[in-house]
């Protein structure tokens, strides 16, 4: 019976560690997305299409020089 209790205890620890890692990953992703939103606001772009357009325009501008 002790082996089953130990196994369940290990399973619970694993579940908690997995949840903690998932929660950490979600928080890290949230931080990245919020930073991206702030950068886009600073650059006055609202869509990925606008970002791509600005990149293309800057490449053309730099290629002309």
């Amino acid at each position: 019976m002790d082996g089953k209790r130990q196994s369940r205890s290990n399973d619970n620890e694993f579940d908690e560690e997995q949840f903690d890692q998932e929660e950490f990953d979600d928080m890290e992703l949230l931080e990245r997305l919020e930073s991206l939103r702030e950068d886009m606001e600073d650059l006055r772009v609202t869509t990925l299409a606008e970002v791509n357009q600005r990149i293309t325009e800057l490449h053309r501008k730099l290629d002309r020089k």
Side-chain angles (χ1 to χ4, degrees):
M1 193 94 173
D2 287 3
K4 286 185 178 182
R5 284 184 189 159
Q6 183 66 30
S7 177
R8 287 181 186 156
S9 176
N10 288 342
D11 288 346
N12 288 340
E13 288 175 19
F14 177 76
D15 289 344
E16 287 179 23
E17 289 174 14
Q18 184 177 4
F19 176 76
D20 289 345
Q21 184 61 46
E22 288 175 14
E23 185 177 25
F24 176 80
D25 291 345
D26 287 345
M27 290 177 69
E28 186 175 45
L29 178 57
L30 178 60
E31 177 65 31
R32 290 179 64 196
L33 290 169
E34 287 175 339
S35 293
L36 177 59
R37 179 179 59 193
E38 290 172 7
D39 289 345
M40 289 177 70
E41 288 170 352
D42 290 345
L43 295 168
R44 296 188 179 113
V45 294
T46 57
T47 66
L48 184 56
E50 289 178 72
V51 171
N52 288 329
Q53 181 182 359
R54 295 275 299 274
I55 290 170
T56 300
E57 290 169 359
L58 287 170
H59 273 292
R60 286 182 186 149
K61 180 179 178 181
L62 291 170
D63 288 345
R64 286 190 296 252
K65 291 185 178 190

